[in-house]
């Protein structure tokens, strides 16, 4: 059994190495026609850009993706520099007409995005010619290896029960060098994905056939991400099923996030795209879905006929009515640990790292400041955007609409949610984003704290202050601080993952929905003691 | 300002200190020789098993004590001068007090076995015990086999711990079945099987004769009383119960028996000196309780009570209905009220027992054979609601009504399979009754 595990690990690592290494493969030269096609497709008017591209990329030589990317970026720079100089020149000459003319030649698209789009057409070589083989060597080996590593646990872990043995003895789960290595890998992955998609264009080839089947188009880096996301969640969900096989709450919850990720976040949007509809994730609620009210999205939706309108109405109702109503009845867990994609990844890929959340009072304070600020900013951003959309203004209350959208997308959308949110799993725990950054979580949290039937009930006086609950709370809630006082846990950040209840060795905690009366019960003296004494003290 | 000195920073001493601070601004000094900060003894096992780090066992952050103006003093008290109200420390210094509370907890029992003080032979009680465990039983290369002597709650925890590091364990239990002095037979038998399922070599009705040393003063093997069998081992865990940790009081004029003798106000024979927690012994046992109650909850409750007295509201220690809990490897156990094993069972106490086919869940309900009054419940593998049973015991429900409403007491996580129907079916068969399950919510029952 142990042997199978190690073989699995080796296969997985091989798959991972091939997957990572595949970005170095292939040749990326172009033909004149390809360049012209692209230029006209994009409506680029700069001759210099096209000339520069042809000069370096239309060649017999072998060009790898990094050389390709730098050539494209250089061409872009040369072109933009040229027209900048022209502008400066006409400016000095006070030749306004000429100056104004120059602006159309400038290219504003992000350099790596242009490079990506070109590379997608330009690539050739081993990966592109052996797509099926490459799929098996990367995704295939990865999945098989990971499953071989995980499945023997059914026997190795022994009878069903809490299986946390050795978590703090292992480098991978105790912030050792393996954990740091994983962190670096994940961070690099996200940086490439968000900011240098051209470097990983080879990955998109591997998924072109699947993408074509689903939505009729080639795979983009986002398709790769979506597919990988689903694959990782499925594999790690298998791990959850084995680890928590005695706990039906965990099994149901895992199945639910898996379902919503695969069907709602992945399949439905792809299929909608294939039907020429706007691809939309029906479960993704504003303000997590922060660009829902951006002009381009509203425009896109209003121009997409009935379905677009429906999405617009649905998205609004989801945020304003459905989400808070559900939180009232079930707590924010219905979203954060049963439906949400970010939550889904955190609860599957992130489960081995849940113990790393900081439980100190300090970090709780920090959390409240940051997460509520993000909520506020996302709302301000949306108000500014909508105001500008309807009035045609460029800014509102002194805030430039484009600037705030760009900054938010970059800082919150990419860095916080992606690079930090997932990249930092192995060291800072699996819910960094959900706890500190997610504006939707902040919103749901406010509802959960002040108007909800959900709470974690503490079982009278049974707590022995052991600390398992606090240690394994991914949201950094010091559950024990409440349990040892006999108090129910009512906290805005609790995502209802149920793990505190699962790991408690004394059966002290139960997540439940019940009447709001007596939900918050500050107890000074715990059940079990003299009844008069309890009354006396609790009256004060 | 009155100075309250508390010897012992365990659950009883700390609860007392916290509550005194809540009600007053008296000067408080919390003394311990064991650790700088309060930690939860009950979680020692999880540190060894790698579920937690030691710092996770500390319920309060380190700034807590200063913020609440509770002075911490590390040192071992080796003499109490009750006449001058002065504590003398082993380290040579001394402090004076106005009121003194002894909350020094327990130490593992040693019954004078030959070799009981060898290296590699120890109990499991303190932080130091944990550190020694890491020396003598860090893995199955250093420790090829471990022997545990004494089948109680700490013994089973130690067995689970060693097992988690793949160290083979031989578990010597004096009784004919695991913990059957406390548990009824059906439950005890189920646990025997559970222990064996985890590949622990459980030896029932087996006593330790002696522990044999190698030439370096470390344990080499043990010999079994009944058979004379010699079992080679590198570690021996002594877990045959605990006894109050009060030998430092021998010279003082504080009255002791096994523990420090106290009345219902937790006062000792000397004015202004009190004792709480594991080390306190009631002059007269309270109800069915033992005079010394070495459990977490009672330590906490005594601390809560004594804080009242010390802050000017003299209050008797009046614990409510008995409850307790434990975990036997994978099986959780809770108890409310009284369910007796063989030992000390009153003649009127009758049992109803139900066990699930999977052999990891069962319950036993004790009731009065004539009045059918519900006396208590043991539940294994099913969590139950403390508040509900507390009320049922106070209101003296009959077993029939308890069973009928059993679902209201269920505390298992959502979506768990419910077993009340099965349980009632078994009861109806056993007693020729015809009870039907009610699904009434527990709050409605008491509205
Ligand atoms: C492994 C283990 C698991 C347990 N599990 C459970 C459980 O699940 N449920 C349950 O109810 N109970 C459990 N118990 C029992 C429970 O931990 C004790 O009842 C409780 O800790 C007693 O608290 P206390 O405050 O009376 O004393 P302690 O916690 O023992 O604290 C006494 C402190 O005083 C110090 N001290 C003693 N003498 C001196 C001196 N002369 N000078 C200075 N300092 C001194 C000691 O070093 C110690 O730090 C467990 C115990 C152990 C060891
Ligand atoms: S308090 Fe419990 S249920 Fe809530 S997030 Fe923490 S571990 Fe999960
Ligand atoms: S895990 Fe359970 S017993 Fe331990 S501190 Fe938390 S609530 Fe208390």
């Amino acid at each position: 059994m142990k042997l199978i595990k190690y073989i699995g690990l080796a296969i997985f690592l091989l798959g991972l190495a091939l997957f990572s290494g595949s970005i170095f493969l292939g040749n990326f030269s172009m033909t004149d026609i390809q360049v012209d096609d692209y230029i006209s497709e994009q409506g680029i008017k700069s001759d210099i850009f096209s000339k520069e591209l042809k000069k370096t990329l239309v060649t017999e030589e072998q060009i790898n993706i990094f050389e390709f990317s730098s050539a494209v970026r250089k061409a872009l720079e040369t072109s933009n520099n040229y027209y900048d100089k022209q502008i400066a020149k006409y400016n000095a000459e006070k030749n306004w007409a000429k100056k104004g003319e120059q602006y159309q030649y400038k290219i504003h698209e992000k350099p790596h995005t242009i490079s990506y789009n070109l590379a997608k057409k330009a690539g050739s070589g081993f990966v592109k010619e052996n797509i099926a083989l490459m799929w098996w060597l990367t995704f295939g080996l990865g999945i098989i290896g990971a499953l071989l590593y995980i499945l023997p646990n059914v026997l190795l872990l022994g009878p069903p029960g809490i299986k946390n043995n050795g978590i703090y003895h292992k480098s991978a789960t105790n912030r050792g060098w393996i954990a740091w290595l994983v962190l670096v890998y994940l961070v690099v992955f996200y940086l490439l994905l968000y900011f240098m998609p051209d470097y990983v264009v080879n990955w998109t080839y591997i998924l072109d056939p699947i993408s074509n089947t689903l939505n009729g188009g080639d795979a983009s880096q986002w398709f790769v991400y979506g597919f990988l996301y689903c694959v990782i969640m499925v594999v790690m969900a298998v791990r959850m099923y084995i680890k928590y096989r005695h706990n039906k709450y965990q099994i149901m919850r895992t199945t639910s996030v898996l379902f919503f990720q695969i069907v709602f976040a992945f399949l439905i949007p792809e299929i909608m795209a294939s039907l020429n509809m706007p691809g939309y994730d029906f479960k993704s609620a504003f303000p997590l879905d922060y660009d829902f009210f951006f002009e381009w999205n509203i425009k896109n939706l209003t121009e997409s006929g009935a379905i677009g309108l429906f999405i617009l109405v649905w998205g609004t109702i989801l945020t304003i009515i459905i989400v808070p109503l559900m939180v009232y009845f079930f707590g924010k867990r219905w979203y954060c640990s049963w439906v949400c994609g970010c939550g889904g990844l955190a609860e599957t890929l992130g489960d081995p790292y849940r113990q790393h959340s900081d439980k100190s009072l300090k970090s709780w304070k920090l959390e409240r400041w940051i997460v509520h600020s993000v909520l506020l900013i996302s709302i301000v951003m949306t108000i500014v955007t909508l105001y500008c959309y309807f009035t045609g203004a460029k800014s509102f209350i002194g805030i430039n609409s484009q600037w705030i959208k760009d900054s938010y997308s970059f800082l919150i959308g990419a860095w916080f949610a992606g690079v930090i949110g997932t990249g930092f799993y192995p060291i800072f725990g699996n819910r960094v984003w959900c706890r500190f950054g997610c504006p939707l979580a902040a919103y749901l949290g406010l509802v959960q704290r002040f108007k909800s039937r959900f709470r974690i009930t503490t079982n009278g006086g049974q707590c022995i202050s052991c600390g398992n609950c606090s240690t394994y709370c991914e949201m950094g809630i010091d559950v024990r601080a409440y349990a040892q006082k006999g108090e129910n846990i009512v906290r805005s950040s609790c995502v209802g993952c149920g793990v505190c209840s699962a790991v408690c060795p004394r059966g002290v905690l139960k997540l439940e929905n019940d009447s709001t009366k007596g939900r918050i019960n500050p107890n000074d003296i715990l059940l079990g003691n003299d009844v008069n004494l309890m009354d006396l003290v609790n009256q004060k | 300002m009155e100075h309250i000195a508390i010897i012992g920073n365990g659950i009883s001493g700390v609860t007392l200190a916290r509550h005194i601070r809540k009600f007053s601004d008296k000067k408080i000094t919390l003394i311990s020789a064991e650790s700088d900060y309060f930690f939860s003894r009950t979680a020692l096992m999880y540190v060894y098993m790698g579920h937690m780090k030691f710092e996770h066992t500390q319920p309060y952050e380190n700034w807590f004590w200063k913020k609440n103006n509770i002075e911490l003093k590390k040192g071992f008290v080796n003499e109490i001068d009750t006449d001058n109200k002065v504590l003398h420390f082993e380290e040579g210094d001394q402090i004076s007090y106005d009121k003194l509370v002894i909350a020094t907890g327990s130490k593992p029992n040693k019954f004078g076995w030959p070799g009981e003080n060898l290296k590699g032979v120890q109990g499991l009680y303190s932080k130091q015990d944990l550190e020694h465990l890491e020396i003598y039983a860090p893995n199955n290369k250093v420790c090829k086999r471990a022997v545990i002597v004494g089948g109680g709650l700490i013994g089973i925890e130690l067995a689970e711990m060693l097992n988690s590091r793949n160290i083979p364990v031989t578990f010597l239990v004096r009784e004919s079945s695991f913990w059957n002095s406390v548990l009824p037979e059906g439950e005890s038998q189920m646990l025997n099987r559970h222990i064996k399922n985890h590949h622990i070599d459980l030896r029932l009705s087996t006593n330790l004769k002696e522990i044999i040393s190698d030439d370096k003063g470390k344990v080499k093997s043990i010999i079994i009383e009944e058979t004379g069998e010699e079992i080679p081992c590198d570690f021996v865990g002594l877990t045959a119960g605990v006894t109050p940790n009060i030998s430092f009081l021998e010279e003082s004029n504080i009255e002791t028996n096994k523990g420090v003798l106290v009345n219902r106000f937790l006062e000792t024979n000397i004015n202004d000196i009190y004792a709480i927690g594991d080390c306190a012994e009631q002059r007269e046992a309270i109800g069915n309780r033992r005079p010394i109650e070495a459990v977490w909850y009672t330590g906490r409750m005594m601390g809560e009570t004594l804080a009242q007295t010390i802050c000017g509201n003299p209050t008797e220690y009046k614990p409510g209905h008995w409850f307790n809990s434990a975990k036997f490897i994978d099986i959780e156990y809770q108890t409310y009220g009284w369910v007796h094993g063989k030992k000390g069972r009153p003649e009127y106490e009758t049992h109803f027992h139900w066990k699930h086919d999977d052999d990891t869940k069962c319950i036993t309900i004790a009731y009065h054979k004539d009045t059918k009054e519900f006396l208590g419940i043991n539940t294994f593998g099913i969590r139950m609601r403390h508040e509900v049973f507390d009320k049922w015991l106070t209101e003296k429900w009959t077993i029939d009504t308890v069973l009928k409403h059993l679902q209201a007491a269920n505390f298992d996580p959502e979506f768990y399979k419910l077993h009340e129907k099965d349980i009632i079916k078994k009861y109806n068969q056993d007693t020729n009754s015809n009870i039907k399950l009610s699904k009434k919510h527990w709050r409605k029952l008491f509205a």
Side-chain angles (χ1 to χ4, degrees):
Chain A
M1 275 301 143
K2 272 244 165 89
L3 187 70
I4 297 180
K5 250 180 112 77
Y6 289 130
I7 293 174
L9 186 60
I11 295 177
F12 170 78
L13 289 175
L14 181 67
L16 187 69
L18 292 174
F19 180 73
S20 316
S22 70
I23 65 173
F24 298 99
L25 298 177
N27 179 27
F28 291 85
S29 54
M30 302 189 81
T31 62
D32 285 338
I33 302 172
Q34 277 178 325
V35 174
D36 288 338
D37 277 356
Y38 178 79
I39 297 283
S40 65
E41 235 172 63
Q42 298 290 314
I44 293 172
K45 294 185 176 151
S46 161
D47 284 342
I48 298 183
F49 182 55
S50 122
K51 233 182 270 159
E52 285 290 321
L53 282 183
K54 286 179 186 167
K55 202 160 77 191
T56 44
L57 297 179
V58 180
T59 159
E60 296 292 301
E61 270 172 55
Q62 296 280 317
I63 303 177
N64 68 31
I65 185 67
F66 304 102
E67 292 159 350
F68 180 89
S69 170
S70 98
V72 173
R73 281 177 285 136
K74 205 135 150 236
L76 188 69
E77 209 186 311
T78 314
S79 162
N80 278 346
N81 276 348
Y82 174 80
Y83 290 109
D84 278 342
K85 272 203 197 112
Q86 291 289 94
I87 291 169
K89 189 179 105 194
Y90 291 124
N91 195 33
E93 291 169 8
K94 302 207 165 75
N95 187 344
W96 308 127
K98 276 274 185 196
K99 179 190 169 193
E101 239 170 58
Q102 304 304 312
Y103 283 102
Q104 58 181 315
Y105 301 112
K106 285 211 60 184
I107 304 169
H108 297 290
E109 191 98 26
K110 290 194 195 102
H112 280 285
T113 308
I114 296 178
S115 160
Y116 168 82
N117 287 330
L118 283 165
K120 184 81 194 179
K121 296 175 190 256
S124 64
F126 189 82
V127 177
K128 213 169 177 182
E129 283 146 26
N130 300 283
I131 288 178
L133 176 69
M134 278 309 290
W135 194 90
W136 282 106
L137 285 179
T138 54
F139 288 93
L141 288 185
I143 295 170
I144 294 169
L147 287 178
L148 281 179
Y149 183 71
I150 290 167
L151 286 172
N153 285 346
V154 177
L155 297 175
L156 286 176
L157 288 181
I162 286 303
K163 303 299 169 199
N164 287 338
N165 287 349
I167 284 186
Y168 277 101
H169 299 151
K170 289 179 199 142
S171 166
T173 50
N174 188 24
R175 296 181 171 155
W177 63 272
I178 298 181
W180 283 101
L181 217 63
V182 176
L183 177 139
V184 171
Y185 188 90
L186 288 173
V187 167
V188 171
F189 172 84
Y190 275 95
L191 291 177
L192 291 178
L193 186 76
Y194 281 114
F195 304 119
M196 288 152 246
D198 46 346
Y199 290 169
V200 298
V201 70
N202 267 326
W203 293 346
T204 67
Y205 299 142
I206 303 177
L207 294 182
D208 276 343
I210 298 179
S211 176
N212 269 299
T213 326
L214 281 175
N215 63 27
D218 279 349
S220 67
Q221 81 269 32
W222 299 118
F223 186 88
V224 174
Y225 185 47
F227 185 79
L228 196 61
Y229 208 101
C230 293
V231 167
I232 290 175
M233 271 184 62
V234 171
V235 172
M236 291 301 279
V238 171
R239 177 186 163 278
M240 284 294 280
Y241 287 139
I242 296 174
K243 179 166 181 182
Y244 291 106
R245 62 191 189 276
H246 62 294
N247 190 315
K248 212 155 165 208
Y249 183 78
Q250 298 301 328
I251 298 208
M252 306 267 290
R253 188 172 67 80
T254 306
T255 309
S256 171
V257 279
L258 209 56
F259 169 80
F260 279 101
Q261 172 59 30
I262 295 175
V263 176
F264 277 70
F266 187 68
L267 290 179
I268 293 183
E270 294 301 335
I271 290 167
M272 288 174 78
S274 76
L275 300 174
N276 264 329
M277 297 175 185
Y280 178 66
D281 178 354
F282 281 92
K283 68 167 177 49
S284 183
F286 172 85
L288 172 60
D289 186 7
Y290 61 88
D291 51 13
F292 188 74
F293 292 111
F294 281 9
E295 297 94 328
W296 61 263
N297 194 42
I298 300 182
K299 205 161 147 254
N300 186 7
L301 290 177
T302 45
E303 283 167 5
S304 303
I307 181 74
L309 228 55
F310 173 74
I311 292 174
L312 205 56
V313 174
W314 166 258
T316 313
I317 293 180
L318 183 63
T319 296
I320 297 180
I321 298 173
I322 301 178
V323 159
L325 206 63
M326 292 283 280
V327 175
Y328 171 73
F329 284 111
F330 306 112
K332 84 190 216 188
R333 57 181 171 158
W334 84 269
Y335 196 85
C336 298
S337 65
W338 283 73
V339 168
C340 179
C342 304
L345 192 70
E347 297 291 351
T348 48
L349 177 66
D351 181 69
Y353 307 116
R354 56 183 320 122
Q355 64 279 8
H356 295 321
S357 59
D358 190 330
K359 316 301 187 300
S360 66
L361 196 64
K362 250 199 212 140
S363 66
W364 182 18
K365 280 192 185 140
L366 196 71
E367 160 199 320
R368 282 178 295 178
W369 273 107
I370 300 182
V371 81
H372 293 122
S373 307
V374 175
L375 175 62
L376 198 68
I377 294 169
S378 71
I379 291 172
V380 168
M381 169 178 76
T382 306
I383 292 173
V384 169
T385 307
L386 286 177
Y387 177 86
C388 296
Y389 176 73
F390 287 114
T391 62
K394 280 224 170 341
S395 64
F396 181 50
I397 46 176
I399 301 172
N400 179 289
S401 165
Q402 196 58 44
W403 171 81
I404 191 168
K405 276 183 299 196
D406 287 348
S407 319
Y408 189 96
S409 307
F410 178 75
L411 289 175
I412 311 285
W415 270 96
F416 209 157
V419 181
I420 296 176
T422 309
F424 284 16
Y425 272 11
I427 302 297
F428 297 100
N430 54 338
R431 287 275 195 178
V432 176
W433 159 249
C434 312
R435 180 181 180 193
F436 294 97
C438 178
L440 181 60
Y443 167 43
L444 303 186
L446 289 173
V447 181
Q448 167 158 292
R449 174 67 184 75
F450 295 108
K451 200 84 201 133
S452 170
R453 294 164 57 85
F454 171 74
R455 89 292 314 272
I456 303 177
T457 305
T458 290
N459 201 8
Q462 285 283 24
C463 175
I464 53 169
S465 302
C466 70
N468 274 290
C469 51
S470 297
T471 307
Y472 287 93
C473 175
E474 54 190 356
M475 295 305 281
I477 298 173
D478 189 358
V479 183
R480 165 173 59 192
Y482 301 81
Q484 66 188 359
K485 286 191 277 181
E487 241 177 80
N488 291 346
I489 294 99
V490 176
R491 275 279 290 268
S492 55
S493 62
C494 170
V495 292
C497 66
V499 169
C500 54
S501 161
V503 297
C504 173
R506 295 295 178 271
V508 176
L509 306 164
K510 179 175 165 76
L511 285 66
E512 56 184 352
N513 314 310
D514 197 354
S515 99
T516 48
K517 221 179 102 211
R519 186 169 82 115
I520 302 176
N521 59 338
N523 272 350
D524 268 332
I525 302 253
L526 275 80
L527 189 58
N529 212 329
D530 177 10
V531 185
N532 299 329
L533 179 60
M534 283 163 60
D535 286 348
L536 174 86
V537 173
N538 288 327
Q539 264 162 19
K540 288 186 195 163
Chain B
M1 212 188 313
E2 197 177 33
H3 180 200
I4 317 287
I6 305 170
I7 315 179
N9 68 348
I11 179 66
S12 55
V14 162
T15 308
L16 173 69
R18 277 181 41 240
H19 280 264
I20 295 180
R21 180 51 73 242
K22 226 178 249 175
F23 306 131
S24 77
D25 57 0
K26 295 181 198 297
K27 180 174 174 196
I28 305 172
T29 307
L30 201 51
I31 302 160
S32 166
E34 183 182 11
S35 62
D36 294 334
Y37 300 104
F38 170 48
F39 72 96
S40 181
R41 210 171 283 303
T42 53
L44 284 177
M45 65 182 295
Y46 301 108
V47 178
Y48 179 83
M49 296 202 298
H51 295 206
M52 301 200 274
K53 294 207 261 190
F54 184 77
E55 68 204 46
H56 296 128
T57 68
Q58 296 174 179
Y60 303 96
E61 288 183 64
N62 294 350
W63 50 257
F64 176 88
W65 310 101
K66 193 155 189 200
K67 178 162 177 259
N68 287 289
N69 200 12
I70 296 172
E71 223 162 282
L72 303 180
K73 158 111 183 97
K74 192 161 184 186
F76 186 83
V77 178
N78 59 1
E79 195 198 324
I80 303 177
D81 177 353
T82 51
D83 297 333
N84 299 308
K85 293 192 163 183
V86 172
L87 299 178
H88 294 271
F89 289 88
E90 199 172 55
E91 295 77 6
D93 50 340
Q94 57 188 59
I95 57 174
S96 56
Y97 62 84
D98 297 311
K99 286 196 169 114
L100 175 68
V101 181
I102 302 167
T104 52
S106 309
K107 60 183 183 207
N109 274 332
K110 289 186 173 178
F111 291 121
W113 291 294
E116 65 184 14
N117 293 322
L118 289 172
K119 283 186 214 150
V121 181
Q122 64 168 85
L124 174 66
Y125 193 85
S126 63
K127 183 171 184 247
Q128 287 70 33
D129 289 338
L130 184 71
E131 287 157 9
H132 288 142
L133 204 57
E134 286 290 355
I135 298 173
Y136 295 107
N139 54 49
N140 57 14
K141 295 203 177 60
V142 174
C143 179
K144 298 207 172 51
R145 174 164 293 276
V147 173
I148 296 172
V149 184
L153 295 177
I154 299 183
I156 185 75
E157 285 187 4
L158 188 55
E160 182 183 355
M161 289 159 70
L162 295 161
N163 209 33
S164 78
R165 295 203 187 175
N166 297 317
I167 296 171
V169 175
T170 298
F171 194 6
L172 309 187
V173 173
R174 189 179 54 177
E175 293 79 19
S176 59
S177 178
F178 179 78
W179 216 36
N180 69 353
S181 53
V182 176
L183 297 179
E185 215 48 35
E187 304 170 343
S188 165
Q189 300 277 355
M190 183 179 89
L191 293 180
N192 291 341
R193 291 187 292 272
H194 188 67
I195 294 168
K196 287 182 181 156
N197 280 344
H198 280 82
H199 312 291
I200 291 165
D201 172 24
L202 176 67
R203 309 275 187 103
L204 298 170
S205 306
T206 305
N207 283 279
L208 173 70
K209 183 167 170 222
E210 65 172 302
I211 307 168
I212 310 229
S213 169
D214 67 5
D215 47 15
K216 292 190 198 81
K218 192 182 147 284
V219 53
K220 179 178 86 177
S221 63
I222 60 113
I223 298 198
I224 286 174
E225 174 89 53
E226 284 74 12
T227 57
E229 183 190 351
E230 180 171 356
I231 302 177
C233 58
D234 301 295
F235 176 85
V236 176
L238 301 178
T239 57
V242 295
T243 200
N245 183 12
I246 52 166
S247 20
F248 73 107
L249 296 179
E250 266 161 26
E251 305 284 298
S252 78
N253 42 14
I254 299 170
E255 207 182 327
T256 62
N257 179 30
K258 268 188 167 166
V260 182
L261 286 167
V262 293
N263 62 16
R264 287 292 289 270
F265 287 90
L266 305 166
E267 298 163 329
T268 66
N269 63 317
I270 310 238
N271 248 343
D272 289 337
I273 299 188
Y274 309 82
I276 53 175
D278 277 22
C279 67
E281 177 173 349
Q282 287 289 329
R283 289 178 188 271
E284 269 165 59
I286 304 171
N288 272 332
R289 291 168 181 261
R290 296 181 204 174
I292 300 177
E293 297 179 296
V295 289
W296 186 263
Y297 314 110
T298 48
R300 193 196 69 218
M301 294 189 298
M302 288 185 215
E304 288 165 351
T305 311
L306 183 59
Q308 295 285 337
T309 304
I310 287 185
C311 294
N313 173 28
T315 306
E316 268 187 50
Y317 173 53
K318 266 196 287 183
H321 299 291
W322 171 255
F323 68 97
N324 200 0
S325 61
K327 194 172 180 188
F328 303 98
I329 313 184
D330 291 321
I331 301 182
E332 284 174 21
Y333 155 72
Q334 296 179 336
T335 183
Y336 302 101
W338 292 107
V339 182
H340 287 91
K342 275 202 200 104
K343 215 163 91 185
R345 186 191 303 181
E347 63 64 50
Y348 58 79
E349 184 181 316
T350 318
H351 288 176
F352 159 67
H353 181 67
W354 166 90
K355 185 165 78 61
H356 191 277
D357 291 336
D358 72 5
D359 211 23
T360 64
K361 300 175 197 77
C362 71
I363 67 165
T364 303
I365 297 184
Y367 60 101
H368 194 292
K369 76 175 187 323
D370 302 323
T371 63
K372 290 198 139 194
E373 181 188 331
F374 168 68
L375 301 173
I377 182 169
N378 279 354
T379 160
F380 289 78
I382 302 176
R383 296 175 173 179
M384 303 247 185
R385 222 178 265 270
H386 187 175
E387 201 173 341
V388 171
F389 280 114
D390 203 66
K391 287 226 179 193
W392 286 349
L393 286 164
T394 304
E395 294 174 3
K396 297 188 187 305
W397 285 33
T398 63
I399 178 167
D400 287 23
T401 31
V402 164
L403 277 173
K404 192 169 154 208
H405 295 286
L406 197 58
Q407 197 153 308
N410 187 291
F411 200 69
D412 270 341
E414 293 151 302
F415 307 116
Y416 269 43
K417 195 170 167 336
L418 297 170
H419 303 286
E420 288 80 13
K421 260 202 188 128
D422 274 4
I423 294 171
I424 287 180
K425 202 168 125 204
K426 169 90 173 9
Y427 180 73
N428 284 340
Q429 275 168 9
D430 282 9
T431 60
N432 251 330
S433 336
N434 190 18
I435 295 173
K436 290 209 175 59
L437 181 66
S438 151
K439 299 211 166 149
K440 225 173 182 176
H441 190 277
W442 67 275
R443 268 187 221 285
K444 300 231 166 78
L445 282 179
F446 301 117

